[in-house]
């Protein structure tokens, strides 16, 4: 018996593939609801490849679309060179103010300054620069 003989028995995987193809044809509008229901019953009860082939006799072969490449993901660059010196200044300032006033809340300056320096992405900064330039030119 040849490997592509219509008398070869099919398994669950082949029936599921046939149902997926049938669903694609239904989604494309090639089948009415009644035809889809009828053919789904035939696919579910199919025992051989010939039983499955009868379902697709009047339907075109599936067209495999070329994969569309995904757009590159823009990741924010590394923090600017001024972030770490700014954090160092914030720590020194917080320590000096703590020693001078004996109030602990000066240490809250450290994350505030860090967030102010790192919080903006380079792309956002560039967009803002472009917008300012456009306003100056009168656009």
């Amino acid at each position: 018996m040849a490997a592509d003989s219509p008398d070869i028995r099919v398994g669950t995987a082949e029936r599921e593939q046939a149902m997926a193809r049938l669903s694609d044809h239904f989604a494309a509008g090639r089948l009415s609801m009644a035809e889809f229901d009828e053919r789904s019953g035939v696919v579910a009860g199919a025992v051989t490849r010939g039983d499955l082939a009868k379902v697709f006799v009047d339907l075109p072969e599936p067209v495999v679309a070329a994969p569309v490449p995904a757009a590159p993901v823009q990741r924010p660059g590394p923090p600017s060179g001024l972030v770490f010196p700014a954090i160092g200044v914030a720590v020194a300032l917080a320590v000096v103010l703590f020693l001078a006033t004996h109030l602990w809340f000066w240490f809250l300056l450290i994350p505030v300054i860090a967030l102010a320096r790192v919080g903006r992405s380079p792309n956002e900064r560039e967009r803002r620069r472009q917008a300012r330039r456009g306003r100056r030119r009168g656009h």
Side-chain angles (χ1 to χ4, degrees):
M1 201 177 285
D4 59 347
S5 172
D7 297 328
I8 299 287
R9 295 179 71 87
V10 295
T12 304
E14 289 91 353
R15 282 190 286 277
E16 288 175 354
Q17 288 174 344
M19 279 303 293
R21 283 182 54 204
L22 198 61
S23 296
D24 290 343
H25 287 295
F26 177 68
R30 295 186 191 103
L31 298 171
S32 68
M33 181 62 90
E35 289 174 314
F36 178 74
D37 288 342
E38 179 184 332
R39 293 180 191 217
S40 298
V42 172
V43 168
V47 176
T48 64
R49 288 183 179 172
D51 295 339
L52 290 179
K54 293 174 191 173
V55 173
F56 297 101
V57 169
D58 61 339
L59 295 171
E61 287 295 316
V63 177
V64 178
V68 177
V73 176
Q74 288 187 347
R75 293 185 176 93
S80 68
L82 297 177
V83 172
F84 297 112
I87 293 174
V89 169
V91 170
L93 182 63
V95 169
V96 167
L97 290 172
F98 171 74
L99 292 174
T101 63
H102 299 286
L103 297 172
W104 63 268
F105 63 81
W106 294 111
F107 290 103
L108 296 176
L109 281 177
I110 299 168
V112 169
I113 290 176
L115 289 174
R117 294 299 308 156
V118 179
R120 294 186 185 154
S121 70
N123 294 337
E124 182 182 342
R125 282 187 225 130
E126 186 60 31
R127 275 191 300 246
R128 288 180 186 216
R129 277 191 208 126
Q130 293 293 336
R132 281 193 304 263
R133 287 181 190 147
R135 284 191 299 253
R136 286 182 195 153
R137 293 180 189 152
H139 290 107

